[in-house]
Amino acid sequence: MSRAAEIRAGHRQGTDLIILDIEFNRTGQVKEVALIEYVSGRVFLDTLVKPQAPPKLSQLKLAWRRGLMDHSWSRKLDSSGTNTDRDLDVWAIAKVLEDSGVTKDSVILVWHSTYYDLTLLNNFLESAGANSTLPSRANCVRLVPHVRANVPHHNGKPFSVTLSIVFPILFPHHELVGRNHRALVDCQQTRLIMTAFEEFDKPTGIPGRLEFSEIKPTQQTLEKWLVDPTLVSHHHETENRADRLMSN
């Protein structure tokens, strides 16, 4: 990623390359938004979204089952307590974006095959008349098609490249495993996966390169782990090296 390299070299600001994830309900209502810098991992937006207005009674009558499911899901989000910002409204979110340095020239990474998250956030801001500094689709990189194109089929079928499957393969014991469908967690998983792919692209043998091949001996059965404690210590050593690399 040349843009990432330019940021690391200090030639660009961190918000020139960011990761976006949105959680929304069945009607397309934005419920949670997270944005982080790709290179540093800095979180500059992580919030539940304060609703603009309660749903109309006619809408609830028309789809009461769906409304009940969305209400239950919203309560689950509200009770998790993982958000940096709590219940920002559309104007506060627009202000955070403006103050953060996100511009029309920024590049957004999304772990999706469509532009839906970016479109949804733009529509959410524009529908309230708030100023949006978000870039257009031309600057939105949908990562799923690129990843899927490089993953071989399994038993004649496409291998799933959802975050909940890909992330544990690369980081099997990471604290983020199993915590998907929260906006910030999905952003952070996306960043770690793409950073790992950057490592894969580096020539072998260069100083500081994490050799993911060293992790292969740890991919054993549970019984093998229990009878061979050296595998566990080897995994911890490799995992620590990965953590140090990601923090640089």
Side-chain angles (χ1 to χ4, degrees):
M1 289 185 177
S2 59
R3 184 171 288 235
E6 291 175 359
I7 293 173
R8 293 186 180 108
H11 302 315
R12 285 181 176 270
Q13 61 180 5
T15 50
D16 278 355
L17 184 59
I18 57 181
I19 300 172
L20 165 69
D21 192 82
I22 287 179
E23 297 298 320
F24 51 89
N25 64 15
R26 292 169 178 260
T27 62
Q29 182 183 12
V30 177
K31 304 295 291 186
E32 186 180 36
V33 182
L35 279 157
I36 69 173
E37 293 182 2
Y38 173 76
V39 172
S40 69
R42 181 179 74 89
V43 179
F44 60 90
L45 181 61
D46 171 33
T47 184
L48 296 172
V49 176
K50 187 176 182 179
Q52 293 296 101
K56 295 180 180 179
L57 182 60
S58 58
Q59 293 176 327
L60 293 178
K61 287 182 176 179
L62 188 64
W64 66 273
R65 287 180 182 270
R66 184 172 61 189
L68 182 61
M69 291 174 62
D70 288 339
H71 178 67
S72 298
W73 183 71
S74 297
R75 288 186 63 186
K76 181 179 179 181
L77 286 179
D78 294 340
S79 64
S80 66
T82 62
N83 300 86
T84 303
D85 308 303
R86 299 290 297 177
D87 292 322
L88 296 184
D89 62 17
V90 61
W91 301 101
I93 291 173
K95 185 69 165 56
V96 170
L97 289 172
E98 184 177 358
D99 293 345
S100 69
V102 173
T103 69
K104 299 293 185 181
D105 185 53
S106 298
V107 169
I108 290 184
L109 307 178
V110 293
W111 193 272
H112 292 292
S113 56
T114 70
Y115 301 103
Y116 192 64
D117 276 18
L118 177 59
T119 300
L120 203 61
L121 184 55
N122 263 323
N123 290 345
F124 172 66
L125 295 171
E126 292 172 1
S127 66
N131 180 48
S132 173
T133 60
L134 293 170
S136 67
R137 288 185 176 185
N139 279 32
C140 181
V141 180
R142 300 161 297 149
L143 297 173
V144 167
H146 298 284
V147 175
R148 184 175 287 135
N150 290 280
V151 176
H153 282 41
H154 179 67
N155 292 333
K157 298 180 180 180
F159 188 83
S160 176
V161 292
T162 60
L163 280 174
S164 58
I165 290 178
V166 175
F167 186 77
I169 292 174
L170 292 173
F171 303 93
H173 296 281
H174 199 281
E175 63 181 2
L176 294 178
V177 169
R179 295 172 55 193
N180 298 92
H181 305 300
R182 293 307 307 266
L184 179 58
V185 170
D186 287 355
C187 282
Q188 291 171 328
Q189 288 190 4
T190 298
R191 175 178 176 266
L192 288 171
I193 291 173
M194 297 311 298
T195 306
F197 288 166
E198 281 196 89
E199 287 299 306
F200 293 151
D201 193 47
K202 291 179 181 178
T204 59
I206 67 171
R209 183 186 190 275
L210 176 64
E211 300 294 344
F212 278 79
S213 60
E214 296 179 8
I215 300 177
K216 289 182 179 178
T218 69
Q219 306 300 316
Q220 307 285 341
T221 64
L222 179 60
E223 290 80 9
K224 182 67 174 176
W225 272 73
L226 293 175
V227 300
D228 191 351
T230 60
L231 290 176
V232 179
S233 61
H234 174 79
H235 169 75
H236 286 165
E237 179 183 352
T238 307
E239 193 174 56
N240 289 336
R241 289 183 59 201
D243 290 339
R244 289 197 298 271
L245 182 65
M246 299 309 176
S247 64
N248 291 336

